[in-house]
Amino acid sequence: MSVRVRMAPSPTGFLHIGGVRTFLFNWLFARGRDGECLLRIENTDTSREVEESVDQIERSLRWLGIEWGGGTTFQLDRLERAQEEAARLVEAGSAYEDEGAIRIRMPNEGVTGWDDAIKGRIEFPNAQLEDLVILRSDGRPTYNFASPLDDWLDEITHVIRGDDHVSNTPKQIHVLRALGAEPPAYAHVPSVFGEDGRKLSKRHGAVSVDEFRDAGYLPEALMNFLALLGWAPDGETTIMSRDELFERFSLERVGASPATFDYAKLDWMNGVYLRALSAEDYAGRLTTWLREHEYDWPEERVRAAAPLVQEKIGRFAEFPDFAGFLFHDVEPDPALLDRRVLAAAETALSETEPWTAAEIETTLKRLCDELGEKPRTVYLPIRVAVTGSRISPGLYESLELLGRAEALARIQGKSE
RNA sequence: GCCCCCAUCGACUAGCGGCCCAGGUCACAGCCCUUUCAAGGCUGCAGCGCGGGUUCGAAUCCCGCUGGGGGCACCA
């Protein structure tokens, strides 16, 4: 039997990064075994539905590269079928009407258990289970009825979901059995915490996929990072392409304990991916990111600046601060400007020919000798005058790209 | 209150009874390289929550405790 899994978000808001990680596991699992991964929106509670959220969910998944087959489906698509099945259960005596709603009978003794692919054997005493409402008095199914019903009809083989569903599982197993269906395999993925050990939320930083995208992370870096949150192929390998990811992924190697989201490690990993990009690809992605974030800087210059920053910044969002001086004038801290050095630099650079990084380097090194100063003493004021900061891309390249006229104007302007 | 789950460096993890006086990665510290910042190289810091067992031998198995998390809706 081929593998079929589903990602089942509720349309109540944006896609949370913890949920994305669970979806990623679904996708990796299916992809690695030629299976199918479906997307089903759990919308039985229409009152909580948030407009746009389905669009957002789909857009987020696409950006990350998580694919799904069969189109997006909705739980309410099966409204009639759910009502028929509920009626069938009443007829069979395994469910009954209660104040207009339909409740399913739950056993009162014994235990219900399953072998969780991640957590191992889990058992619940049946005495713990109440007869649950499967059909509301308004005729709509409840989650714990609609979800297993859909899983059955969609022929889902593995339910891979957040471990906040663990206590729903025995209920759903009974629903399935009452329906005459064989329960799927279950795998409950532990949750993701923020750095304070509490559930990941806004105040920890970015949590929605959109926010990571806005911060300038690469989708493949985020995917790699997410895959390693709670899963490890061997304890040694960290950087993995998506092909390698789904080749190596297995539920058996997903850890049973919750993981903490480490933004610093994500930053590092994003840098690794950024630096590994070809110059061409890097420039293209940077350009796209800037355009999507309303920086209308000339593309030609952005592309020219790309190689200067590729080794330097860890996220595209750092670009405006780091290389913005190439697109607008700056206001340096006067305390860092040395007028003697700047005056000498202006003179020397005005004679540099041709205006290339290599020639500028020669000029500035000679200047250091003439002034009898160390490079750091000479370069700092120039860097600050031109870039507005003591931290910037390489000085020679920056000067070259800025152009002689603008560079000299800034040096002169700031030396007065 | 009841039920369920979890527990290795600050973080992600490897470890599934001897190969571990615990390995890798991030972070952190120091050094090297260097025009700044990064990147890169090297070195270092740092951990099996506690208490009982089982065993010749336990991070690994069992029990208890503690701590953390989740759930107990005509929400999903």
Side-chain angles (χ1 to χ4, degrees), chain A residues 29 34 82 109 146 211 219 277 329 338 387 406 416:
Chain A
F29 180 72
D34 263 334
E109 35 189 61
E211 287 170 314
L277 254 28
D329 200 2
D338 180 324
T387 72
E406 179 63 23
E416 288 164 355

Side-chain angles (χ1 to χ4, degrees), chain A residues 60 105 129 145 167 209 226 231 280 300 323 411:
Chain A
S60 295
R105 294 184 206 285
L129 305 174
F145 184 54
S167 58
V209 173
L226 251 22
W231 172 78
E280 179 68 23
E300 198 184 335
I411 291 171

